[in-house]
Amino acid sequence: MKIDLTETTSSKINQALVSARRAIGTPAIGMVLTLVVVTDEENAYDALKSAGDASREHPSRIIAVIKRVSRSPRARRDARLDAEVRVGSDAGTGETVVLRLHGELANHAQSVVLPLLLPDAPVVVWWPEGAPADPAKDPLGALAQRRITDTYSAELPLDELAVRAATYSPGDTDLAWTRITPWRSMLAAALDQQPAEVVGATVEGESDNPSCELLAMWLADRLGVPVERTLSGGPGLTAVRMETKNGVIVLDRADGSLATLSMQNQPDRAVALKRRDTAELLAEELRRLDPDNTYASAVKFGVDRLHAGGEVKAAPVASAEEKANRAAEAKAPAAKKAPAKKAASK
């Protein structure tokens, strides 16, 4: 069910929500949070679709805030609020309110959103693109317990990572970090199976990919070892190599879907590491609303500090023969080396 409201108010929008629920026979509210999506007309469709798909796991009231750019001085002086209310099958498992703010009202979005928040429920704000420099101090971000950005959508992703580190506040997170959750889980599990001191690591992936940088910073921060960042043709992350005193651990994903895990004295294993869509990433972030201290520590490690040992090196896309050699090296007995300086504990 859809209801269009022009030149409306927050009070009338709330009344429309109540009337719509009664009309479809669900007067009770069974939602667990409010998700505020701050976007523009160009990206609104994709953002709302992802939010709606994520709401199937987390029933929520989705409030899309679209600030309309006024072209003339007179239009910029006029404040107007248009809204679209969606409930039932048109809104996933919750409710959706699309707000279009015109004129001066676009600078006071929080005054429109505040009366529409679910009472006594957490608030999450998501910027699919164009996130503010300091999300926690943004008027809409200040309403939320959790603030989600995406450095991958920035024009200069690595510079954006530095901004995220400088302005981090508890509750901030980024979808570039969420994208590497399966990689972090797989690498941690590999070290559990083959416990050994890690003396170095290499992360291979696309240029200017914030997820690759975050994974490298996470390894350097948690293991206390030098991490080399090399470039490949992608897609995304393509390989991680950890040098340990007992041999080499290689996690190689060349096609963006299926990866191969190679370790000493163990057969190669195929593991699923597909590139997930935005709805899956968003659903994962909505599972936890407490501060992510691991992300905070990794992003604050800093890209400059990661690359302090030298320039990022370009690596050609590995051939099938090179991949076979990598796997053979990972399973071969460890070569005798001079004792390495003990790394910091994880």
Side-chain angles (χ1 to χ4, degrees):
M1 182 177 183
K2 294 183 181 180
I3 301 175
D4 289 322
L5 303 170
T6 57
E7 297 189 30
T8 187
T9 64
S10 298
S11 177
K12 292 179 180 179
I13 295 171
N14 270 319
Q15 293 174 12
L17 285 168
V18 174
S19 299
R21 286 198 301 268
R22 288 175 177 169
I24 64 174
T26 57
I29 299 177
M31 289 160 283
V32 298
L33 58 87
T34 303
L35 175 61
V36 180
V37 183
V38 186
T39 184
D40 54 23
E41 289 288 4
E42 181 182 356
N43 298 284
Y45 176 82
D46 290 336
L48 282 171
K49 185 177 186 305
S50 296
D53 290 343
S55 74
R56 301 185 187 282
E57 182 176 333
H58 309 278
S60 55
R61 174 176 289 178
I62 301 168
I63 302 176
V65 178
I66 302 174
K67 300 178 181 181
R68 299 295 296 269
V69 178
S70 300
R71 297 181 179 179
S72 66
R74 178 177 295 178
R76 285 194 290 270
R77 287 195 299 268
D78 295 335
R80 190 176 93 244
L81 172 63
D82 296 334
E84 180 181 328
V85 175
R86 307 174 187 175
V87 296
S89 59
D90 293 311
T93 58
E95 301 171 340
T96 299
V97 179
V98 182
L99 305 175
R100 290 182 171 85
L101 284 63
H102 302 258
E104 184 62 24
L105 190 60
N107 298 322
H108 304 279
Q110 73 280 7
S111 64
V112 179
V113 171
L114 185 59
L116 301 176
L117 302 179
L118 290 172
D120 303 320
V123 178
V124 179
V125 177
W126 172 39
W127 292 268
E129 70 292 308
D134 192 342
K137 292 183 179 179
D138 180 82
L140 284 173
L143 301 175
Q145 288 77 39
R146 192 79 160 164
R147 295 165 293 276
I148 305 173
T149 57
D150 190 356
T151 54
Y152 191 83
S153 65
E155 186 174 351
L156 299 171
L158 302 192
D159 291 347
E160 191 74 7
L161 275 181
V163 173
R164 294 286 150 255
T167 62
Y168 174 82
S169 294
D172 291 355
T173 191
D174 197 276
L175 293 187
W177 172 254
T178 318
R179 290 183 179 94
I180 61 174
T181 299
W183 285 83
R184 294 188 293 117
S185 301
M186 191 59 60
L187 293 171
L191 287 177
D192 285 340
Q193 296 174 39
Q194 185 172 301
E197 182 180 327
V198 180
V199 297
T202 301
V203 174
E204 178 186 297
E206 289 176 327
S207 174
D208 291 331
N209 188 308
S211 296
C212 300
E213 305 296 332
L214 279 170
L215 183 60
M217 290 190 289
W218 173 71
L219 287 170
D221 178 57
R222 304 302 291 177
L223 299 175
V225 300
V227 178
E228 183 181 3
R229 173 76 170 90
T230 61
L231 304 182
S232 70
L237 269 164
T238 51
V240 176
R241 176 189 181 97
M242 294 190 295
E243 303 276 352
T244 76
K245 289 190 173 181
N246 292 343
V248 184
I249 299 173
V250 179
L251 185 58
D252 193 309
R253 184 192 69 177
D255 61 358
S257 177
L258 192 65
T260 302
L261 177 64
S262 304
M263 293 189 291
Q264 180 188 356
N265 299 325
Q266 293 190 25
D268 290 352
R269 279 174 285 179
V271 294
L273 276 180
K274 73 180 184 72
R275 291 166 63 82
R276 298 179 294 168
D277 60 27
T278 305
E280 293 178 270
L281 301 174
L282 189 59
E284 179 184 325
E285 282 300 335
L286 295 180
R287 289 179 200 136
R288 59 174 299 171
L289 300 177
D290 57 316
D292 190 341
N293 296 325
T294 306
Y295 164 71
S297 182
V299 75
K300 288 180 179 180
F301 186 87
V303 177
D304 293 340
R305 183 179 171 191
L306 177 69
H307 297 164
E311 296 295 327
V312 178
K313 300 178 181 179
V317 179
S319 64
E321 182 180 355
E322 289 171 332
K323 291 180 183 178
N325 291 337
R326 281 183 185 177
E329 181 183 353
K331 292 183 288 184
K336 292 183 179 180
K337 300 178 181 178
K341 186 179 179 180
K342 186 175 180 180
S345 59
K346 291 188 286 181

